[in-house]
Amino acid sequence: MKILQSTLKLTALFILALGATDIIVTNHPRCTEMAKNYILNHNVTPPELAIIISVCEGIVNPQYSGFGGGFLATIFNGYCANYNIDPTRVVNAREKAPSNFVPNAGEFSEIGVPGTLKGFSMLYDMSQRMRACGVDPKLEWKDLFTENIKLAETGWNETPHYKKNWHELGNAPHPFISIAQGKIKNEKLANTLRDIANEGPYSSLYRPNGFFHRTVMNELRSVNSQISSNDILAYDVPARYADKNLCFNYTIIGSDLPGSGASFVLGCKIVEAAYGTLQTLTREERTLFMYHVLRYMYSLKPHLKSANVQNVLQRIYGDASKIANYILNSFDKPWSTEPIKKFGSFVIHENVRHKREHGTTNIVIRRGKFAVTMTSTINYAWGSKLSSSLGFFYNNQLKDFDDVGSPNEPRPNSTPQSSTSAMILYSKKLNPVLQIGAAGGSKMIGSIFNTFFNYIVNNMTLVNANNAPRCMPFYRNKVESVYCEKEISRALKNKFKDIGKKIVYATERFGGVTASSTFRKKPEAAFDERRDGSVYINPNSNFEASVMQSRPGPIAAPINRTPNSRPIISNRQGHSLDHDTNTNNPAVWPSLGFVKVFPPRLTSNTASALLRMVLLAVTAPMSSLKISRGVRSSEYRIVADVEDCGTFPGLGPFGVPVSSKSFN
């Protein structure tokens, strides 16, 4: 008995990491491979991976991203709910207009204040702060850049997509990019990365008299940029809680302003309202329905910076059923080519011009309950085409402002709105079950929603949903065109023809969607074959979060087993310890999965609790049982990390009835 009691006093923590999954999706195989190696060798966290992969993308795809631009990142950490901490963040490191900004004031007047390095500092700081959620950072700042320095020095293989963009740059000899025998190198960027690694997370770009600050200011002054030293020194990266909205009983978080995540929320809610009826339609009829949903999404997007529209967004979402019914009754009838003004019971009176946006790059990262969806950009391919002696291109992001008098009008110290939609859907068990984002400028909204719709409505695999031919509305000067890839089916072409709509065929396939999902029986991930990319999936991840504090709870938690699922910890009343998605108050969220199962002294109750814990341990796969030290000798806990994968017969990925007919 004394031996057993002394054993009970040991500081221990039982963790059942059931079904934890690693998923990485990038736009280049070298970046995916690098992320995989950092996971296997260092067990790094998602914010650390976001820095590593984003730097890699800036090396191998400098035409789309890099230190001369910015990014938006949507972050979800389900482990934070164990500590009553809001698990969501949106990091806005987008480029900003200078304080004396005047549009069209010269060739390089549209260069915005670069935000990437300041954003990396925020991500690194966030990785340190995640200790509060039981997730410890693994690497020092300087170690995040080691492999990327080697990559920039030794080079990488030229891809067809890069070669095409290089031709657009003019094929002229470049001051820092060298191409020889299909191998690309950027030794100047390698030197810059060494300096960034050595100076720490608070870059000299944003410090008075800092080396990077002096270099950048000299280069910008030489081309009469409007950016001043004070503009760069005053640049800040806000990280705020994400707006949360429900759709299909999942919570959506995303890149709202200056992104367009709200348009995705509206589209999801319209599809949710029509889901049952959609299963009775033909494939072509469903595509027409999707096209009309996109008309609403694209019509809403240019108004999102309007205070009037922001104040009524929830009303517009609430009218999703009205919008769905209207579309179902009219999708096969002729329609106006003007942007939509009426959203259910709300009418938008502002006049705006729909402008085109340009290239970006999107990455998807997930480790267990911790996920990042991140979209980076320098706007046009090669941005402003002004190259820095530091080895990157400056953005021309301020071209994304709209007309004076519009919600997105040019303003000093403002960030232009974009179509960026870096989205995460998470479940009641606080698992990130779907991540999706895209490259492609103004085509991002349509590309993302085509993939999303094909996946949840047409019941395709994620890869097939992403590769399927796309259609979307395209607006120029307030006039809509039906814009499709030429690979769409003949039946769909005839549908548009019967309605009297002429299709404008894209000269090349468009959009670059990256996505991951654990809705179904196995994790899925997809890069877009329209661009380059690759994926990494490990369904048996060793990623875990530790427990730093106790919470009140029952002495022994009964184990609730449901068909085709792993053990779930529930409370005495039989209620699943899930996040109540109907509340936005993190203070009332229950603490997931961590249950104090017995006190330090052995009694009849604690013996019973010990037996329960042993039974749970032996019924779980031994490879999933991990023991580590806790912070108090009296704490023994069980953690169940249960994936939301697998569907019931006759149910689609969202657990709603679907037709038995497969459209894969």
Side-chain angles (χ1 to χ4, degrees):
M1 179 65 72
K2 288 183 179 180
I3 295 175
L4 181 56
Q5 285 181 337
S6 63
T7 302
L8 292 176
K9 291 179 181 179
L10 291 174
T11 301
L13 181 70
F14 282 81
I15 298 180
L16 297 182
L18 302 182
T21 300
D22 292 335
I23 301 178
I24 304 293
V25 190
T26 81
N27 299 276
H28 197 285
R30 289 295 296 269
C31 299
T32 305
E33 183 68 19
M34 186 183 295
K36 171 188 171 183
N37 291 335
Y38 268 99
I39 288 173
L40 296 179
N41 297 330
H42 303 288
N43 201 26
V44 292
T45 64
E48 293 171 310
L49 280 170
I51 296 172
I52 293 165
I53 298 172
S54 183
V55 172
C56 179
E57 293 271 357
I59 295 172
V60 299
N61 287 312
Q63 71 274 32
Y64 295 136
S65 65
F67 293 125
F71 67 82
L72 268 174
T74 302
I75 301 172
F76 175 78
N77 185 353
Y79 302 110
C80 286
N82 298 304
Y83 305 93
N84 292 331
I85 297 173
D86 190 309
T88 70
R89 296 291 188 277
V90 173
V91 176
N92 175 14
R94 285 293 306 276
E95 306 91 320
K96 185 178 291 186
S99 56
N100 62 343
F101 176 59
V102 177
N104 304 314
E107 182 181 2
F108 298 106
S109 62
E110 277 82 16
I111 297 176
V113 178
T116 297
L117 273 172
K118 197 67 171 283
F120 286 170
S121 175
M122 172 60 75
L123 288 174
Y124 182 75
D125 183 64
M126 189 172 292
S127 73
Q128 308 301 306
R129 293 175 183 270
M130 284 302 167
R131 287 188 174 96
C133 297
V135 180
D136 293 332
K138 305 302 180 184
L139 295 176
E140 297 293 330
W141 170 266
K142 62 182 178 61
D143 298 323
L144 299 175
F145 299 90
T146 306
E147 295 304 315
N148 276 308
I149 292 171
K150 294 178 184 177
L151 176 63
E153 269 186 331
T154 59
W156 63 98
N157 292 328
E158 185 179 28
T159 62
H161 194 74
Y162 183 94
K163 190 172 184 178
K164 170 183 171 295
N165 281 276
W166 183 255
H167 287 314
E168 293 176 359
L169 191 59
N171 288 324
H174 201 272
F176 60 78
I177 295 177
S178 62
I179 302 179
Q181 298 177 338
K183 200 83 168 178
I184 308 170
K185 297 181 181 180
N186 190 340
E187 294 184 9
K188 287 196 174 182
L189 184 54
N191 292 331
T192 297
L193 289 172
R194 282 193 188 88
D195 291 336
I196 290 171
N198 290 330
E199 69 180 17
Y202 306 106
S203 173
S204 63
L205 175 59
Y206 307 98
R207 297 202 303 262
N209 300 315
F211 169 71
F212 288 145
H213 185 82
R214 294 196 309 271
T215 303
V216 167
M217 282 311 307
N218 287 336
E219 291 174 346
L220 293 177
R221 289 189 185 110
S222 70
V223 295
N224 297 317
S225 166
Q226 300 177 69
I227 296 175
S228 69
S229 174
N230 286 336
D231 291 326
I232 296 179
L233 297 177
Y235 181 86
D236 191 29
V237 173
R240 57 178 178 79
Y241 299 134
D243 292 332
K244 304 176 184 71
N245 291 279
L246 286 177
C247 187
F248 289 103
N249 290 322
Y250 291 88
T251 302
I252 306 176
I253 60 172
S255 54
D256 290 337
L257 297 176
S260 296
S263 63
F264 179 87
V265 174
L266 176 62
C268 185
K269 285 181 173 289
I270 295 172
V271 170
E272 179 187 28
Y275 194 94
T277 304
L278 288 174
Q279 300 307 313
T280 68
L281 304 180
T282 67
R283 172 72 175 274
E284 289 71 31
E285 289 171 334
R286 291 199 298 273
T287 302
L288 279 176
F289 178 90
M290 179 201 70
Y291 180 89
H292 281 278
V293 176
L294 279 169
R295 292 180 63 230
Y296 278 89
M297 293 168 64
Y298 272 104
S299 296
L300 177 65
K301 181 257 176 183
H303 299 280
L304 288 176
K305 285 184 78 172
S306 166
N308 293 333
V309 173
Q310 282 292 315
N311 291 335
V312 297
L313 267 180
Q314 292 302 322
R315 275 179 54 192
I316 293 175
Y317 296 157
D319 281 349
S321 295
K322 292 181 181 179
I323 297 172
N325 284 330
Y326 179 80
I327 296 174
L328 287 170
N329 289 322
S330 61
F331 67 80
D332 55 354
K333 299 178 177 63
W335 63 86
S336 169
T337 60
E338 294 184 357
I340 293 170
K341 293 286 188 181
K342 187 174 183 181
F343 296 80
S345 58
F346 185 78
V347 179
I348 298 178
H349 297 286
E350 297 163 327
N351 288 316
V352 296
R353 180 167 61 93
H354 293 249
K355 289 185 67 175
R356 290 187 63 187
E357 304 152 25
H358 295 265
T360 49
T361 181
N362 188 80
I363 58 176
V364 166
I365 301 165
R366 174 182 173 174
R367 302 210 67 200
K369 291 177 179 286
F370 202 164
V372 178
T373 306
M374 179 170 165
T375 306
S376 304
T377 179
I378 54 174
N379 203 23
Y380 285 27
W382 311 104
S384 64
K385 298 187 178 179
L386 175 65
S387 59
S388 169
S389 61
L390 299 172
F392 58 80
F393 289 89
Y394 289 102
N395 69 86
N396 63 346
Q397 199 66 53
L398 305 187
K399 283 185 176 292
D400 278 0
F401 281 119
D402 294 332
D403 299 331
V404 173
S406 71
N408 189 37
E409 68 178 352
R411 290 195 303 271
N413 299 314
S414 177
T415 299
Q417 188 196 355
S418 78
S419 296
T420 301
S421 303
M423 312 304 297
I424 298 176
L425 276 72
Y426 66 88
S427 70
K428 292 181 179 180
K429 300 182 184 73
L430 293 189
N431 281 309
V433 293
L434 179 68
Q435 293 175 252
I436 192 165
S442 55
K443 300 182 183 70
M444 283 188 282
I445 293 173
S447 299
I448 289 170
F449 201 71
N450 268 260
T451 297
F452 178 78
F453 190 89
N454 284 330
Y455 184 58
I456 69 162
V457 177
N458 291 333
N459 205 27
M460 295 181 177
T461 66
L462 193 59
V463 170
N464 289 343
N466 211 24
N467 292 334
R470 292 170 179 157
C471 269
M472 64 184 68
F474 181 82
Y475 292 92
R476 186 185 295 274
N477 296 325
K478 302 181 184 179
V479 177
E480 173 199 328
S481 299
V482 178
Y483 190 69
C484 299
E485 294 177 335
K486 61 185 179 183
E487 293 83 2
I488 63 171
S489 69
R490 182 175 297 276
L492 182 58
K493 294 176 182 178
N494 290 335
K495 277 286 184 184
F496 280 114
K497 183 179 179 180
D498 292 343
I499 302 171
K501 294 294 180 180
K502 182 179 179 180
I503 299 174
V504 176
Y505 292 105
T507 55
E508 59 183 356
R509 304 193 75 187
F510 53 81
V513 176
T514 49
S516 70
S517 171
T518 54
F519 276 134
R520 297 172 180 168
K521 292 182 180 179
K522 63 179 181 180
E524 299 178 81
F527 68 93
D528 206 315
E529 294 184 359
R530 295 162 179 82
R531 291 198 176 193
D532 306 307
S534 65
V535 306
Y536 167 69
I537 301 176
N538 176 16
N540 299 304
S541 170
N542 64 352
F543 189 75
E544 62 189 36
S546 60
V547 178
M548 303 299 291
Q549 61 184 29
S550 62
R551 73 165 183 86
I555 289 178
I559 300 170
N560 175 28
R561 295 187 182 276
T562 55
N564 302 319
S565 71
R566 295 186 173 95
I568 302 173
I569 302 296
S570 62
N571 64 16
R572 280 184 179 273
Q573 290 73 34
H575 300 299
S576 176
L577 296 178
D578 289 340
H579 160 43
D580 179 2
T581 51
N582 291 318
T583 178
N584 285 325
N585 181 5
V588 300
W589 291 357
S591 180
L592 284 196
F594 295 88
V595 181
K596 189 171 184 177
V597 293
F598 53 80
R601 290 185 301 134
L602 187 65
T603 65
S604 59
N605 285 338
T606 57
S608 174
L610 176 60
L611 178 60
R612 291 172 186 264
M613 185 177 71
V614 171
L615 287 174
L616 177 59
V618 298
T619 56
M622 289 304 295
S623 61
S624 69
L625 184 62
K626 300 182 183 296
I627 302 176
S628 59
R629 291 187 179 275
V631 294
R632 297 175 186 163
S633 60
S634 65
E635 293 177 357
Y636 287 73
R637 304 183 184 196
I638 296 176
V639 178
D641 184 2
V642 184
E643 284 283 2
D644 296 271
C645 55
T647 56
F648 295 99
L651 297 183
F654 287 96
V656 287
V658 298
S659 167
S660 59
K661 185 177 180 180
S662 174
F663 300 98
N664 203 1

